[in-house]
Amino acid sequence: MENEDLPTTIADYQGAQFPYAYHFEAHLLAKFLTRYATQRGVRHIVDNVQDVGLDERGWISHVQTAEHGRLEGDLFVDCTGFRALLLNKALGEPFVSYQDTLPNDSAVALQVPMDMDKDPIRPCTTATAQDAGWIWTIPLISRLGTGYVYSRDYLEPEEAERTLREFVGPAAADVPANHIKMRIGRSRRGWVNNCVAIGLSSGFVEPLESTGIFFIHYAIEQLVKYYPAADWDASLREQYNNSLMNVMDGVREFLVLHYRGAKRADNQYWRDTNTRKIPDSLAERLEQWESKVPDAGTVYPRYHGLPPYSYNCILLGTGGIDVRPSPALDLIDEKDALAEFQLIKDKARTLVASLPTQNEYFRKMRDGA
């Protein structure tokens, strides 16, 4: 029996953070969602937008497509990626760049085939620091998704691709590379008149914390939450815009902390992380954390999907910023804490010895076992 009172959206879970994530084939998910929607009456049109029409109020009246002509509507969702054809180009909404604090503006990606019967699959995404950014490695059943996120101020695309191929090894030799120019920041407002930008057209913060899909999911939930009636109440747009602005600005702060906290200065890219501009509010928080590690009262105060312990993990893990525990801890007997840590270690060893490997698990899942 289902309990209708259970939380069902990210907004309902704002106090929680799940200790796991999923790796999946994005194009397969898109196919699934398309089938799910069309079975419920959605008309699915695949076409190229050639022009955007505005009425006398400056609201969008229609989009002109290459093969289906004029498509009219009441509410338009801009999903045109970094181009933001509706929100930024047609409606002229300004873009707020984060480039001054997060310089990585480019990526080169490879889809490297792998054989599940031969190659071990890691149960996590790996981020590996490089001379001008970092490399992601995301294992899937049939391939590795990998890419180098970097700043063109420090590295040319050809050198980035060469570095990535060397990092992957012989398996990347004949794999075509996809070079991506990223627009880092957000539109000043994600909802203007009768147009809501969702995804890259709304904003993007470099993918070190893999927040792209989270931003999409959150924006859809907020659109449902503030969905307009026939009177197009402007306060609904304002509340939506504030919620999306807070989420993106909060993630921006958290990502800046990764670089500011890095204990690395072996080249100009990493030396500049210590002198580059940071948001004023983050500078204030860093001063607080020097006296006491972050808690719920001293991290970014508005919902952005990241709990206080995430801040502690980055600060303690990167090691470039000195932080102190609460002085009250000096008065506590540490024996109980050490005993708990030992229990965790013992449980981890037991689980590693008894659970199947990633490859074994997926093989049984595919076989229906």
Side-chain angles (χ1 to χ4, degrees), residues 50-109:
Q50 297 179 319
D51 191 24
V52 180
L54 304 180
D55 64 18
E56 65 280 358
R57 301 172 298 170
W59 290 39
I60 296 176
S61 59
H62 68 279
V63 293
Q64 189 70 30
T65 64
E67 298 181 11
H68 294 80
R70 178 186 176 114
L71 300 177
E72 299 180 350
D74 297 316
L75 178 69
F76 291 82
V77 178
D78 187 343
C79 298
T80 59
F82 289 132
R83 296 173 297 166
L85 294 179
L86 279 67
L87 185 73
N88 297 150
K89 186 175 180 181
L91 295 179
E93 183 65 12
F95 182 77
V96 179
S97 175
Y98 291 165
Q99 203 75 44
D100 56 341
T101 57
L102 292 169
N104 291 347
D105 58 358
S106 302
V108 54

Side-chain angles (χ1 to χ4, degrees), residues 7-25:
T8 57
T9 67
I10 290 177
D12 295 324
Y13 282 111
Q14 286 184 4
Q17 176 79 359
F18 301 110
Y20 60 85
Y22 294 107
H23 292 157
F24 54 78
E25 292 277 11

Side-chain angles (χ1 to χ4, degrees), residues 15-37:
Q17 176 79 359
F18 301 110
Y20 60 85
Y22 294 107
H23 292 157
F24 54 78
E25 292 277 11
H27 75 280
L28 294 179
L29 176 64
K31 288 182 179 180
F32 168 79
L33 293 175
T34 299
R35 183 171 65 251
Y36 183 91

Side-chain angles (χ1 to χ4, degrees), residues 78 83-96 183 186-193 195 197 201-202 241:
D78 187 343
R83 296 173 297 166
L85 294 179
L86 279 67
L87 185 73
N88 297 150
K89 186 175 180 181
L91 295 179
E93 183 65 12
F95 182 77
V96 179
R183 186 180 72 154
R186 61 172 173 82
S187 293
R188 184 181 63 181
R189 295 173 297 172
W191 183 350
V192 176
N193 298 341
C195 174
S201 57
S202 172
N241 287 328

Side-chain angles (χ1 to χ4, degrees), residues 267-312:
N267 64 24
Q268 195 59 47
Y269 176 90
W270 290 103
R271 285 191 289 272
D272 287 348
T273 62
N274 293 314
T275 58
R276 187 172 293 116
K277 178 182 176 182
I278 61 174
D280 292 340
S281 54
L282 178 59
E284 294 174 4
R285 281 186 257 282
L286 285 172
E287 290 186 10
Q288 294 176 313
W289 298 338
E290 289 176 356
S291 301
K292 181 180 177 298
V293 293
D295 58 24
T298 59
V299 300
Y300 186 81
R302 298 176 181 86
Y303 176 69
H304 58 297
L306 296 158
Y309 69 73
S310 291
Y311 286 78
N312 287 326

